[in-house]
Amino acid sequence: MIRSRSLRLILAAALTLTIICPAFAGHGEVESPKKGILLVAFGTSVPEARVSLENIGEKVAKAFPDTEIRWAYSAAIIRNKIKRTENMNVPSPAAALAQMGDDGFTHVAVQSLHTIPGQEFSDLTKTAKAFDGIPKSISHISIGTPLLTSPHDLAAMAKVLPATVPADRKKNEAVIFMGHGTHDPGNIYYPGLATYLQEEDSNIYVGTVEGYPALDNIIPKLKAKGIKKVWLMPLMSVAGDHARNDMAGPEDDSWKSILTKEGFNVKTVLKGTGEYDTVVAQWVAHLKEAFKALDSM
Ligand code: CO
């Protein structure tokens, strides 16, 4: 009687242990996945230019209505400046990922809102890889590529960008899209895009502030064609400091001043590529790929 009673107790205890043990063993790590999105822009210190980023945020929210979306700026110089001048706190990609880990996100798709895969994107990739799978934080991170990162992207943008040019531009007037440019090998996407664009419209050019092609490479071509009027448009997500000063500013060395001095009639468009829904759709397509990749991780 006593024997069988203690046997029953032992059995009951063993059963309880079998039920409890897996829960202890897992330490809660078998939680259901929590997916999130981190949008990473270079950032801008020009408040009016943020309409581009707001538009991108709206389109991403529309594409991912059930997923939390967070932001980071990859440029430390911008983050520090807006903290000082506007008391605005936008985290770095590292700070944003650390916070998402603490907030219980298990899977995060990081979308680069840069234009080409240059230094900013390679830094972002290293940061995301460093945070991928660190203990008690995000277990899986995937990365969405910049606007122009493949031949397919170049072909797609060569169809999309000409349609963003104002309707009153005539075919015999030139358009120059002004990109940032870099010494990084990723600069190749600017002349790459230019080649695709020229097949669509031979009077559309791509120039850069800090890389190749420069404005000096384009001016002789405009003169050889007898072009009289030039439209300048940013090939940057926002119409920030570079667009307002280097492209359209009143200083002698702005593209507007240089072209005017060279005898061209110059029109400027102060809109970032993030303001055009057709361009934003390209970033959203890259994000959809990155988000889908989380399922196979
Ligand atoms: Co710059």
Short mmCIF file of all heavy atoms in Angstrom, two decimals, residues 247-282:
data_model
loop_
_atom_site.label_atom_id
_atom_site.label_comp_id
_atom_site.label_asym_id
_atom_site.label_seq_id
_atom_site.Cartn_x
_atom_site.Cartn_y
_atom_site.Cartn_z
N MET A 247 23.77 72.01 -55.99
CA MET A 247 23.03 71.95 -57.25
C MET A 247 22.39 73.30 -57.58
O MET A 247 22.67 73.89 -58.62
CB MET A 247 21.94 70.86 -57.21
CG MET A 247 21.28 70.60 -58.56
SD MET A 247 19.88 69.43 -58.45
CE MET A 247 18.54 70.56 -58.07
N ALA A 248 21.55 73.81 -56.68
CA ALA A 248 20.70 74.96 -57.01
C ALA A 248 21.06 76.25 -56.27
O ALA A 248 20.37 77.26 -56.42
CB ALA A 248 19.25 74.59 -56.71
N GLY A 249 22.14 76.22 -55.48
CA GLY A 249 22.47 77.40 -54.65
C GLY A 249 22.97 78.60 -55.44
O GLY A 249 23.32 78.48 -56.61
N PRO A 250 23.02 79.78 -54.78
CA PRO A 250 23.44 81.02 -55.45
C PRO A 250 24.97 81.18 -55.55
O PRO A 250 25.45 82.04 -56.28
CB PRO A 250 22.85 82.12 -54.56
CG PRO A 250 22.77 81.49 -53.19
CD PRO A 250 22.56 80.02 -53.40
N GLU A 251 25.75 80.33 -54.83
CA GLU A 251 27.21 80.46 -54.85
C GLU A 251 27.77 80.21 -56.26
O GLU A 251 27.19 79.46 -57.03
CB GLU A 251 27.87 79.49 -53.86
CG GLU A 251 27.47 79.69 -52.40
CD GLU A 251 26.13 79.04 -52.05
OE1 GLU A 251 25.60 78.28 -52.89
OE2 GLU A 251 25.62 79.33 -50.95
N ASP A 252 28.95 80.78 -56.51
CA ASP A 252 29.59 80.67 -57.83
C ASP A 252 29.84 79.24 -58.28
O ASP A 252 29.88 78.95 -59.46
CB ASP A 252 30.95 81.40 -57.82
CG ASP A 252 30.76 82.90 -57.85
OD1 ASP A 252 29.61 83.34 -58.10
OD2 ASP A 252 31.74 83.63 -57.62
N ASP A 253 30.09 78.34 -57.29
CA ASP A 253 30.46 76.98 -57.66
C ASP A 253 29.28 75.99 -57.68
O ASP A 253 29.48 74.78 -57.82
CB ASP A 253 31.57 76.46 -56.74
CG ASP A 253 31.17 76.47 -55.27
OD1 ASP A 253 30.09 77.03 -54.95
OD2 ASP A 253 31.92 75.93 -54.44
N SER A 254 28.05 76.50 -57.57
CA SER A 254 26.91 75.58 -57.69
C SER A 254 26.73 75.21 -59.16
O SER A 254 27.17 75.95 -60.05
CB SER A 254 25.62 76.23 -57.16
OG SER A 254 25.11 77.15 -58.11
N TRP A 255 26.12 74.08 -59.42
CA TRP A 255 25.91 73.65 -60.82
C TRP A 255 25.07 74.67 -61.57
O TRP A 255 25.29 74.92 -62.74
CB TRP A 255 25.24 72.27 -60.84
CG TRP A 255 26.18 71.15 -60.47
CD1 TRP A 255 27.36 71.26 -59.78
CD2 TRP A 255 26.03 69.76 -60.81
NE1 TRP A 255 27.94 70.04 -59.65
CE2 TRP A 255 27.16 69.10 -60.26
CE3 TRP A 255 25.07 69.04 -61.48
CZ2 TRP A 255 27.32 67.71 -60.39
CZ3 TRP A 255 25.24 67.67 -61.62
CH2 TRP A 255 26.35 67.01 -61.08
N LYS A 256 24.10 75.24 -60.87
CA LYS A 256 23.23 76.25 -61.51
C LYS A 256 24.08 77.45 -61.96
O LYS A 256 23.96 77.91 -63.11
CB LYS A 256 22.14 76.70 -60.54
CG LYS A 256 21.15 77.66 -61.16
CD LYS A 256 20.16 78.19 -60.16
CE LYS A 256 19.20 79.14 -60.87
NZ LYS A 256 18.20 79.68 -59.93
N SER A 257 24.95 77.94 -61.06
CA SER A 257 25.79 79.10 -61.38
C SER A 257 26.77 78.78 -62.51
O SER A 257 26.95 79.58 -63.44
CB SER A 257 26.59 79.55 -60.15
OG SER A 257 25.71 79.92 -59.13
N ILE A 258 27.40 77.60 -62.44
CA ILE A 258 28.38 77.22 -63.47
C ILE A 258 27.72 77.11 -64.84
O ILE A 258 28.21 77.68 -65.83
CB ILE A 258 29.08 75.88 -63.09
CG1 ILE A 258 29.93 76.06 -61.83
CG2 ILE A 258 29.91 75.35 -64.26
CD1 ILE A 258 30.43 74.77 -61.19
N LEU A 259 26.58 76.45 -64.90
CA LEU A 259 25.88 76.27 -66.19
C LEU A 259 25.36 77.59 -66.72
O LEU A 259 25.39 77.85 -67.94
CB LEU A 259 24.74 75.25 -66.04
CG LEU A 259 25.20 73.78 -65.89
CD1 LEU A 259 24.06 72.91 -65.37
CD2 LEU A 259 25.70 73.23 -67.23
N THR A 260 24.88 78.45 -65.82
CA THR A 260 24.37 79.77 -66.23
C THR A 260 25.52 80.58 -66.85
O THR A 260 25.37 81.19 -67.91
CB THR A 260 23.76 80.52 -65.03
OG1 THR A 260 22.75 79.70 -64.45
CG2 THR A 260 23.15 81.85 -65.44
N LYS A 261 26.67 80.55 -66.20
CA LYS A 261 27.87 81.25 -66.67
C LYS A 261 28.31 80.72 -68.04
O LYS A 261 28.86 81.44 -68.86
CB LYS A 261 29.01 81.01 -65.66
CG LYS A 261 29.91 82.21 -65.47
CD LYS A 261 30.89 81.88 -64.36
CE LYS A 261 31.78 83.03 -63.97
NZ LYS A 261 32.65 82.64 -62.86
N GLU A 262 28.08 79.41 -68.25
CA GLU A 262 28.44 78.77 -69.54
C GLU A 262 27.41 79.07 -70.62
O GLU A 262 27.50 78.57 -71.74
CB GLU A 262 28.56 77.25 -69.37
CG GLU A 262 29.72 76.81 -68.48
CD GLU A 262 31.08 76.83 -69.19
OE1 GLU A 262 31.10 77.01 -70.41
OE2 GLU A 262 32.09 76.66 -68.50
N GLY A 263 26.39 79.86 -70.27
CA GLY A 263 25.41 80.30 -71.26
C GLY A 263 24.12 79.50 -71.34
O GLY A 263 23.29 79.73 -72.23
N PHE A 264 23.92 78.55 -70.43
CA PHE A 264 22.68 77.76 -70.46
C PHE A 264 21.58 78.44 -69.64
O PHE A 264 21.85 79.11 -68.65
CB PHE A 264 22.93 76.35 -69.88
CG PHE A 264 23.93 75.54 -70.66
CD1 PHE A 264 25.25 75.43 -70.23
CD2 PHE A 264 23.54 74.88 -71.83
CE1 PHE A 264 26.18 74.69 -70.94
CE2 PHE A 264 24.47 74.13 -72.55
CZ PHE A 264 25.79 74.03 -72.11
N ASN A 265 20.36 78.20 -70.07
CA ASN A 265 19.19 78.60 -69.30
C ASN A 265 18.93 77.43 -68.35
O ASN A 265 18.78 76.29 -68.79
CB ASN A 265 18.03 78.82 -70.29
CG ASN A 265 16.71 79.14 -69.61
OD1 ASN A 265 16.61 79.16 -68.39
ND2 ASN A 265 15.69 79.37 -70.42
N VAL A 266 18.96 77.67 -67.03
CA VAL A 266 18.90 76.57 -66.06
C VAL A 266 17.62 76.55 -65.24
O VAL A 266 17.19 77.58 -64.72
CB VAL A 266 20.12 76.63 -65.10
CG1 VAL A 266 20.09 75.45 -64.12
CG2 VAL A 266 21.42 76.65 -65.88
N LYS A 267 17.01 75.39 -65.16
CA LYS A 267 15.84 75.19 -64.30
C LYS A 267 16.21 74.16 -63.24
O LYS A 267 16.87 73.15 -63.56
CB LYS A 267 14.67 74.62 -65.13
CG LYS A 267 14.00 75.66 -66.02
CD LYS A 267 12.88 76.31 -65.24
CE LYS A 267 11.99 77.16 -66.14
NZ LYS A 267 10.97 77.86 -65.32
N THR A 268 15.83 74.37 -62.00
CA THR A 268 16.13 73.39 -60.96
C THR A 268 14.85 72.82 -60.37
O THR A 268 13.83 73.52 -60.27
CB THR A 268 16.97 74.01 -59.82
OG1 THR A 268 16.25 75.11 -59.27
CG2 THR A 268 18.33 74.48 -60.31
N VAL A 269 14.91 71.55 -59.99
CA VAL A 269 13.77 70.89 -59.35
C VAL A 269 14.23 70.42 -57.97
O VAL A 269 15.14 69.59 -57.87
CB VAL A 269 13.29 69.66 -60.18
CG1 VAL A 269 12.09 69.00 -59.50
CG2 VAL A 269 12.94 70.07 -61.60
N LEU A 270 13.66 70.99 -56.92
CA LEU A 270 14.10 70.62 -55.57
C LEU A 270 13.20 69.54 -54.96
O LEU A 270 12.45 69.79 -54.01
CB LEU A 270 14.16 71.85 -54.67
CG LEU A 270 15.38 72.74 -54.86
CD1 LEU A 270 15.34 73.95 -53.93
CD2 LEU A 270 16.68 71.96 -54.65
N LYS A 271 13.30 68.37 -55.52
CA LYS A 271 12.54 67.23 -55.00
C LYS A 271 13.47 66.03 -54.91
O LYS A 271 14.18 65.73 -55.88
CB LYS A 271 11.39 66.88 -55.95
CG LYS A 271 10.12 67.70 -55.71
CD LYS A 271 9.06 67.30 -56.72
CE LYS A 271 7.75 66.96 -56.05
NZ LYS A 271 6.75 66.42 -56.99
N GLY A 272 13.47 65.35 -53.78
CA GLY A 272 14.27 64.13 -53.63
C GLY A 272 13.57 62.98 -54.33
O GLY A 272 12.36 63.03 -54.58
N THR A 273 14.34 61.94 -54.67
CA THR A 273 13.72 60.80 -55.36
C THR A 273 12.68 60.11 -54.48
O THR A 273 11.77 59.46 -54.99
CB THR A 273 14.78 59.78 -55.81
OG1 THR A 273 15.58 59.41 -54.68
CG2 THR A 273 15.67 60.33 -56.91
N GLY A 274 12.80 60.29 -53.15
CA GLY A 274 11.83 59.71 -52.22
C GLY A 274 10.45 60.34 -52.31
O GLY A 274 9.50 59.84 -51.71
N GLU A 275 10.34 61.45 -53.06
CA GLU A 275 9.04 62.10 -53.23
C GLU A 275 8.24 61.50 -54.38
O GLU A 275 7.07 61.81 -54.55
CB GLU A 275 9.22 63.61 -53.43
CG GLU A 275 9.68 64.31 -52.15
CD GLU A 275 9.91 65.79 -52.33
OE1 GLU A 275 8.95 66.52 -52.60
OE2 GLU A 275 11.08 66.22 -52.21
N TYR A 276 8.91 60.69 -55.21
CA TYR A 276 8.23 60.06 -56.35
C TYR A 276 7.84 58.64 -55.99
O TYR A 276 8.70 57.79 -55.71
CB TYR A 276 9.13 60.07 -57.58
CG TYR A 276 9.58 61.46 -57.98
CD1 TYR A 276 10.87 61.90 -57.72
CD2 TYR A 276 8.69 62.35 -58.60
CE1 TYR A 276 11.29 63.18 -58.07
CE2 TYR A 276 9.11 63.64 -58.95
CZ TYR A 276 10.41 64.04 -58.68
OH TYR A 276 10.81 65.31 -59.01
N ASP A 277 6.54 58.36 -56.01
CA ASP A 277 6.05 57.03 -55.60
C ASP A 277 6.61 55.91 -56.47
O ASP A 277 6.82 54.80 -56.00
CB ASP A 277 4.51 57.01 -55.63
CG ASP A 277 3.92 57.95 -54.60
OD1 ASP A 277 4.70 58.50 -53.77
OD2 ASP A 277 2.69 58.14 -54.59
N THR A 278 6.87 56.24 -57.75
CA THR A 278 7.40 55.22 -58.66
C THR A 278 8.83 54.81 -58.25
O THR A 278 9.22 53.66 -58.43
CB THR A 278 7.43 55.76 -60.10
OG1 THR A 278 8.02 57.07 -60.08
CG2 THR A 278 6.03 55.84 -60.68
N VAL A 279 9.59 55.77 -57.72
CA VAL A 279 10.95 55.46 -57.25
C VAL A 279 10.87 54.70 -55.92
O VAL A 279 11.56 53.71 -55.71
CB VAL A 279 11.81 56.74 -57.10
CG1 VAL A 279 13.20 56.40 -56.58
CG2 VAL A 279 11.90 57.49 -58.43
N VAL A 280 9.99 55.18 -55.05
CA VAL A 280 9.84 54.53 -53.74
C VAL A 280 9.45 53.06 -53.90
O VAL A 280 9.90 52.20 -53.15
CB VAL A 280 8.81 55.29 -52.86
CG1 VAL A 280 8.61 54.58 -51.53
CG2 VAL A 280 9.26 56.73 -52.63
N ALA A 281 8.66 52.78 -54.94
CA ALA A 281 8.22 51.40 -55.20
C ALA A 281 9.42 50.47 -55.39
O ALA A 281 9.36 49.28 -55.05
CB ALA A 281 7.32 51.36 -56.43
N GLN A 282 10.52 51.03 -55.92
CA GLN A 282 11.73 50.23 -56.13
C GLN A 282 12.36 49.83 -54.78
O GLN A 282 12.76 48.69 -54.58
CB GLN A 282 12.72 51.07 -56.95
CG GLN A 282 14.04 50.41 -57.21
CD GLN A 282 14.01 49.54 -58.45
OE1 GLN A 282 12.93 49.27 -59.02
NE2 GLN A 282 15.15 49.09 -58.88
#
